[in-house]
Amino acid sequence: MQLFVNDLTVIDFSYLCPERGIVGESWIVDIVLDGSLNEQSMVLDFGRVKKQIKRIIDDAVDHKLAVPANHLYTAVTHDADDSCYWVDFMRPDNASIHLFCPADAFAFIDAERVTMATVNSYLRAVIKRQLPGNVEGLEVTLRAEQIDGAYYHYTHGLKKHDGNCQRIAHGHRSRIKVELDGERATDIELRWAERWRDIYLGSTEDVCTIDALQRSERAQACTDSTHVGYGYDADQGRFELLVPKAENYIIDNDSTVECIADYLAQAIRQELSEPQEVTVKAYEGVGKGAIGYA
């Protein structure tokens, strides 16, 4: 007997890519459970699937940085009590990425690449360890939202958030919609999607000089001319990041989706040659977001 749940959850996370750098992503999760009926004449109660298995998936990947543990660029060092890790991703040509974060901020994928297939294998292994004995098979499907129009991948951290959004390197794959005087402006959507393709969106107040950060030995070659440094203390601990300047964009406010929508609306308004009412619908992953006006 098989039990399926479509759209069980959405995992919003970021991952390290040799070519693209730090990439924000949003994947929808569907699952199929295969097993015998239990004493309730069920494979597994839907309520338990939606709560327990969703929680397992969220705890494993959601709002984390997925690290390709077997890639030659990857180096990981633990602090004295294993509570925090230095992760160095040694891309060439001044494009290396360096982090110091609590251990829970990372998902280490035993592969050379972070892909849907390798994350799928990681999730299946984590979920199967916690399933009841009558569940014999598990199928996990990861898929991206079908987007008709412009979208971009971004990574950020929200230090003031009381949940996992405070982690400095989690992200989203997000569509963008722009209207000028009520008419869709696809050219502007595409321009901003390209400008923010695979971007780290940082806040001015979180920028640090590189010398002020707890750099690993591998990060010593980074300078303020090649990288932007971020650091902050949040409820979950100390978070630090060094990201290449070419893959970074700084805004004056926090990078909540509300602030992003407002920032885009104001920036687009300033670029117009004549006054027009600007409406920006900015998304944070799948099916949620904020609307900004200027």
Side-chain angles (χ1 to χ4, degrees), residues 21-202:
I22 188 166
V23 182
E25 192 56 271
S26 300
W27 290 341
I28 302 165
V29 184
D30 307 322
I31 66 165
V32 178
L33 303 176
D34 194 337
S36 57
L37 300 183
N38 60 19
E39 65 278 1
Q40 297 175 305
S41 299
M42 300 177 180
V43 175
L44 193 63
D45 182 83
F46 276 120
R48 187 173 173 187
V49 172
K50 292 180 179 179
K51 292 180 180 178
Q52 180 182 357
I53 298 183
K54 179 183 184 303
R55 177 178 48 77
I56 294 169
I57 293 170
D58 290 347
D59 289 347
V61 179
D62 191 53
H63 285 75
K64 295 193 176 193
L65 177 67
V67 179
N70 297 343
H71 197 281
L72 60 86
Y73 290 169
T74 301
V76 181
T77 309
H78 302 192
D79 68 356
D81 60 1
D82 281 349
S83 63
C84 294
Y85 296 161
W86 284 271
V87 171
D88 300 290
F89 198 58
M90 302 303 295
R91 298 162 70 212
D93 302 322
N94 291 323
S96 60
I97 298 169
H98 309 270
L99 300 103
F100 175 76
C101 300
D104 286 344
F106 301 106
F108 293 100
I109 309 299
D110 290 329
E112 292 186 358
R113 295 265 181 167
V114 175
T115 65
M116 280 190 178
T118 58
V119 174
N120 193 315
S121 297
Y122 174 78
L123 284 175
R124 288 181 70 253
V126 172
I127 297 168
K128 287 179 73 173
R129 289 197 295 266
Q130 301 186 54
L131 290 176
N134 67 301
V135 179
E136 301 165 355
L138 169 67
E139 178 183 331
V140 178
T141 301
L142 302 175
R143 55 188 172 88
E145 177 190 19
Q146 295 297 313
I147 297 178
D148 179 18
Y151 64 89
Y152 56 94
H153 301 255
Y154 74 98
T155 300
H156 68 155
L158 302 173
K159 70 180 179 189
K160 301 169 188 173
H161 195 268
D162 58 5
N164 293 334
C165 289
Q166 67 189 257
R167 294 168 179 168
I168 201 167
H170 75 277
H172 314 273
R173 173 182 181 261
S174 300
R175 67 173 74 198
I176 177 176
K177 291 185 177 181
V178 178
E179 291 182 356
L180 302 180
D181 289 339
E183 297 292 328
R184 185 86 176 266
T186 56
D187 57 331
I188 296 177
E189 295 171 358
L190 290 169
R191 183 163 69 246
W192 276 95
E194 178 60 26
R195 187 177 294 175
W196 279 3
R197 179 168 54 94
D198 301 339
I199 202 72
Y200 187 84
L201 283 180

Side-chain angles (χ1 to χ4, degrees), residues 208-235:
C208 296
T209 61
I210 289 180
D211 288 342
L213 300 177
Q214 303 174 75
R215 288 180 291 166
S216 68
E217 182 177 343
R218 293 177 178 86
Q220 294 301 313
C222 298
T223 69
D224 290 314
S225 64
T226 62
H227 286 70
V228 178
Y230 294 96
Y232 57 74
D233 294 297
D235 288 345

